[in-house]
């Protein structure tokens, strides 16, 4: 996935589930900035809990219950498949604890309990969920349960999920800050969440991850920087990490196209129904609503561009620092056949990688121990970054890859006396290699005859792989990066070491 991200937002079937969708929408006016099959029918998995929470917030706002009202867990709910909070049958938790459990733990037992508390039965509540979805303009969404556990008739689309994300912010700004919660304490135990973008991507403030085998790895994310806000949706990622990397790159690419303002749109794709809303800064803690924070002061255009550059730099550094996390750990929150999930993870191609770091990765820092390997140019018929084929052609490609690996020769770090260009840091050598080969294919005019290298860098126990080309002088390195950046890929000239 990272290899594809580095050279644009096209996605290879090798890194996505069979049915993939992605969307970026400007939250201020509803304009769709990027679309990849956004109306295709998909399974929501635990994104379902966004609607469960929408209806919970709806009843809280209407005074039908309070944050300290009890939510009782029936025997049926206690028997739900993981992920679970683990409340015993007959016991109760507060509506506020239920909110945190749905967002942070993605607890299926609590989703069931909320459904029964508000709707009498989960099936009746699911009917209300579907009616509400249609009233919000989510025409392709049908709910059959409150949790997102597998049901072939529980379907949605990327556009519908973006619309639901917008409406959670627009309609219930007093409760939306709960989506920023990264952990909470329950019965003396700290419960941590699945949403890796919180704390690792500048401005991210929610909202929900999801996974079942039929859906792949799903994510809805909202990011606010100053007066600009984007909502992104990725459905059908091959792994949690590749899905997250795709989301980061997608949002970063379109932030400059976002409009400033204080409105939240009512529908992904239309400004109709957009209305001003107070955006709170911190999650509610024990009160019926979070206190609105002071408004972000307006800045002039130059200051905003400077802030955007700083936030992008911080985002890249943070992404590189977190690149070593396991690809799927903590992301299979629906608990469906966990052993099969682990087997699939071991069998699939290398995936997990942070978004390419174009800043802060081109200079060797203290504590790094780089190992450099050359990457041979691909054979003429080798299809790098494309979906694997079947039959003899697939076997030939695999043989070529093995031959390439055998030819890789380790060389001492720092022996190149000229300029190089860095295309970012990645979590695996396979990802870095794919980026190099794909970029060589896309920009042969500036990379022809250059040496491709992967640089293994270990820093504070984290290992990343830097993708770079060597053999430049200052002018040709600058020209190469200018060309590569036109392909929406990161590139940084690096002087002689």
């Amino acid at each position: 996935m990272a290899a594809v991200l580095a050279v644009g937002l096209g996605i290879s079937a090798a890194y996505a589930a069979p049915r993939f969708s992605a969307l970026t929408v400007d939250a201020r006016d509803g304009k769709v900035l990027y679309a990849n099959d956004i109306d295709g029918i998909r399974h929501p998995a635990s994104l379902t809990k966004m609607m469960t929470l929408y209806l919970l917030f709806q009843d809280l706002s209407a005074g039908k219950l309070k944050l300290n009202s009890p939510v009782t867990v029936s025997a049926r709910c206690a028997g739900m498949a993981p992920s679970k909070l683990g409340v015993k049958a007959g016991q109760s938790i507060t509506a506020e604890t239920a909110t945190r459990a749905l967002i942070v733990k993605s607890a299926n037992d609590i989703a069931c309990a909320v459904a029964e508390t508000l709707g009498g039965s989960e099936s009746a509540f699911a009917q209300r969920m579907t009616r509400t979805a249609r009233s919000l303009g989510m025409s392709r969404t049908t709910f059959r349960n409150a949790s997102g556990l597998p049901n072939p008739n529980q379907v949605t689309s990327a556009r519908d999920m973006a619309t639901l994300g917008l409406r959670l912010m627009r309609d219930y700004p007093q409760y939306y800050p709960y989506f920023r919660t990264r952990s909470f304490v329950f019965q003396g135990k700290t419960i941590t969440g699945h949403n890796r973008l919180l704390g690792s991507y500048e401005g991210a403030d929610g909202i929900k991850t999801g996974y079942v085998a039929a859906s792949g790895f799903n994510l809805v994310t909202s990011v606010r920087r100053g007066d600009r806000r984007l909502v992104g949706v990725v459905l059908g990622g091959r792994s949690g990490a590749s899905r997250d990397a795709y989301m980061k790159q997608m949002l970063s690419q379109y932030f400059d196209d976002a409009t400033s303002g204080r409105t939240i749109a009512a529908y992904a794709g239309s400004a109709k129904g957009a209305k001003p809303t107070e955006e709170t800064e911190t999650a509610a803690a024990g009160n019926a609503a979070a206190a609105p924070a002071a408004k972000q002061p307006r800045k002039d255009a130059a200051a905003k561009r400077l802030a955007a550059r700083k936030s992008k730099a911080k985002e890249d550094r943070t992404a590189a620092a977190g690149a070593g996390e396991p690809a799927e750990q903590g992301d299979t929150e629906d608990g469906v056949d966990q052993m099969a999930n682990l087997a699939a993870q071991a069998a699939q191609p290398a995936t997990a990688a942070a978004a390419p770091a174009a800043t802060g990765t081109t200079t060797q820092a203290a504590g790094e121990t780089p190992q450099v390997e050359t990457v041979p140019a691909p054979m003429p018929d080798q299809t790098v970054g494309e979906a694997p084929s079947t039959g003899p052609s697939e076997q030939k490609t695999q043989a070529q890859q093995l031959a390439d690996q055998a030819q890789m020769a380790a060389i001492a770090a720092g022996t190149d006396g000229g300029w190089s260009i860095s295309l970012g840091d990645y979590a695996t050598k396979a990802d870095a290699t794919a980026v190099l080969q794909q970029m060589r294919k896309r920009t042969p005019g500036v990379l022809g005859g250059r040496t491709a290298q992967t640089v293994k860098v270990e820093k504070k126990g984290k290992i990343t792989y830097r993708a770079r080309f060597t053999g430049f002088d200052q002018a040709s390195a600058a020209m190469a990066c200018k060309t590569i950046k036109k392909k929406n890929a990161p590139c940084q000239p690096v002087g002689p070491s």
Side-chain angles (χ1 to χ4, degrees):
M1 176 71 78
V4 178
L5 290 171
V7 294
L9 287 175
I11 183 164
S12 165
Y15 294 101
R19 309 191 70 173
F20 180 86
S21 297
L23 166 68
T24 300
V25 60
D26 187 336
R28 302 304 181 196
D29 60 10
K31 182 179 179 181
V32 174
L33 303 178
Y34 173 74
N36 183 331
D37 198 13
I38 62 176
D39 293 316
I41 300 301
R42 307 288 183 260
H43 297 292
S46 279
L47 300 187
T48 296
K49 297 182 177 78
M50 292 166 59
M51 180 58 80
T52 302
L53 286 157
Y54 185 92
L55 296 184
L56 176 59
F57 297 161
Q58 189 176 76
D59 285 2
L60 285 167
S61 292
K64 294 181 179 179
L65 73 162
K66 299 179 180 180
L67 285 172
N68 61 0
S69 297
V71 174
T72 302
V73 178
S74 67
R76 176 179 176 275
C77 293
M80 287 286 158
S83 178
K84 297 163 61 173
L85 190 60
V87 180
K88 294 181 179 180
Q91 294 184 345
S92 297
I93 59 174
T94 66
E96 183 176 27
T97 299
T99 299
R100 297 184 187 279
L102 291 175
I103 292 170
V104 178
K105 182 64 174 174
S106 197
N108 297 322
D109 52 350
I110 304 306
C112 174
V114 168
E116 291 183 350
T117 298
L118 301 186
S121 69
E122 188 170 13
S123 60
F125 186 76
Q127 293 175 18
R128 179 185 169 189
M129 294 170 71
T130 301
R131 290 194 304 269
T132 301
R134 301 296 166 78
S135 73
L136 299 181
M138 300 167 61
S139 61
R140 292 169 175 79
T141 298
T142 300
F143 294 108
R144 291 290 184 256
N145 60 55
S147 62
L149 283 169
N151 187 305
N153 297 316
Q154 184 135 313
V155 294
T156 191
S157 69
R159 187 195 300 271
D160 282 3
M161 284 292 105
T163 295
L164 181 54
L166 290 170
R167 293 303 291 263
L168 281 161
M169 290 183 283
R170 173 186 183 272
D171 298 345
Y172 303 110
Q174 70 272 39
Y175 299 117
Y176 177 79
Y178 279 110
F179 285 102
R180 301 186 183 119
T181 307
R182 298 168 64 183
S183 66
F184 71 103
V185 176
F186 179 70
Q187 295 182 346
K189 181 180 179 181
T190 300
I191 309 296
T192 57
H194 306 100
N195 193 341
R196 306 301 183 196
L197 267 67
L198 293 175
S200 73
Y201 187 71
E202 183 72 15
D205 60 6
I207 53 182
K208 192 72 187 74
T209 62
Y211 172 85
V212 292
S215 71
F217 288 82
N218 297 342
L219 179 63
V220 177
T221 295
S222 173
V223 179
R224 176 187 171 197
R225 296 176 183 174
D227 287 342
R228 299 183 182 189
R229 184 185 282 280
L230 295 181
V231 172
V233 179
V234 174
L235 305 180
R238 179 69 73 181
S239 74
S242 58
R243 170 205 64 193
D244 292 351
Y246 192 100
M247 178 69 80
K248 290 178 181 180
Q249 185 75 2
M250 179 176 69
L251 293 175
S252 295
Q253 182 166 335
Y254 289 96
F255 240 105
D256 288 344
D257 298 327
T259 57
S260 297
R262 291 292 177 179
T263 62
I264 298 292
Y267 181 77
S270 173
K272 184 177 180 180
K275 70 175 186 180
T277 185
E278 288 291 334
E279 294 181 302
T280 55
E281 298 291 348
T282 57
N287 298 319
K295 289 187 176 182
Q296 175 81 10
R298 292 190 175 274
K299 301 178 180 180
D300 58 41
K304 286 184 178 180
R305 287 194 295 270
L306 178 60
R309 287 195 296 269
K310 289 181 178 179
S311 64
K312 179 65 168 64
K314 181 176 180 181
E315 161 213 326
D316 288 334
R317 290 193 298 270
T318 305
E325 289 188 3
E328 301 184 19
Q329 183 175 344
D331 225 333
T332 55
E333 67 262 32
D334 296 306
V336 182
D337 197 358
Q338 295 182 12
M339 292 304 293
N341 294 335
L342 293 173
Q345 177 184 355
Q348 67 191 20
T351 54
T359 304
T361 63
T362 58
T363 303
Q364 183 177 334
E368 292 184 349
T369 56
Q371 297 178 17
V372 184
E373 291 186 350
T374 58
V375 179
M379 299 294 288
D381 59 347
Q382 186 171 340
T383 55
V384 178
E386 298 176 1
S389 58
T390 56
S393 61
E394 180 185 25
Q395 295 174 2
K396 183 178 180 180
T397 299
Q398 291 174 346
Q400 290 168 352
Q401 291 173 346
L402 290 173
D404 285 346
Q405 293 173 9
Q407 293 174 28
M408 288 184 181
I411 62 176
T415 58
D416 180 17
W419 282 69
S420 64
I421 61 172
S422 171
L423 305 186
D425 288 6
Y426 301 86
T428 70
K429 184 166 63 177
D431 288 337
T433 300
V435 168
L436 293 166
Q437 293 175 335
Q438 182 78 316
M439 190 52 66
R440 191 197 294 274
K441 180 180 178 182
R442 288 170 61 96
T443 57
V446 295
L447 297 179
R450 312 298 182 183
T451 300
Q453 296 177 338
T454 61
V455 185
K456 180 181 178 182
V457 179
E458 183 173 358
K459 184 178 180 181
K460 296 181 180 179
K462 297 286 187 179
I463 295 176
T464 57
Y465 294 83
R466 186 165 302 154
R468 76 180 185 187
F469 284 94
T470 65
F472 297 89
D473 58 22
Q474 184 174 4
S476 61
M479 180 61 68
C481 278
K482 182 177 180 180
T483 302
I484 290 169
K485 286 179 179 179
K486 288 181 180 179
K487 302 292 184 180
N488 297 317
C491 185
Q492 180 69 39
V494 183
S497 56

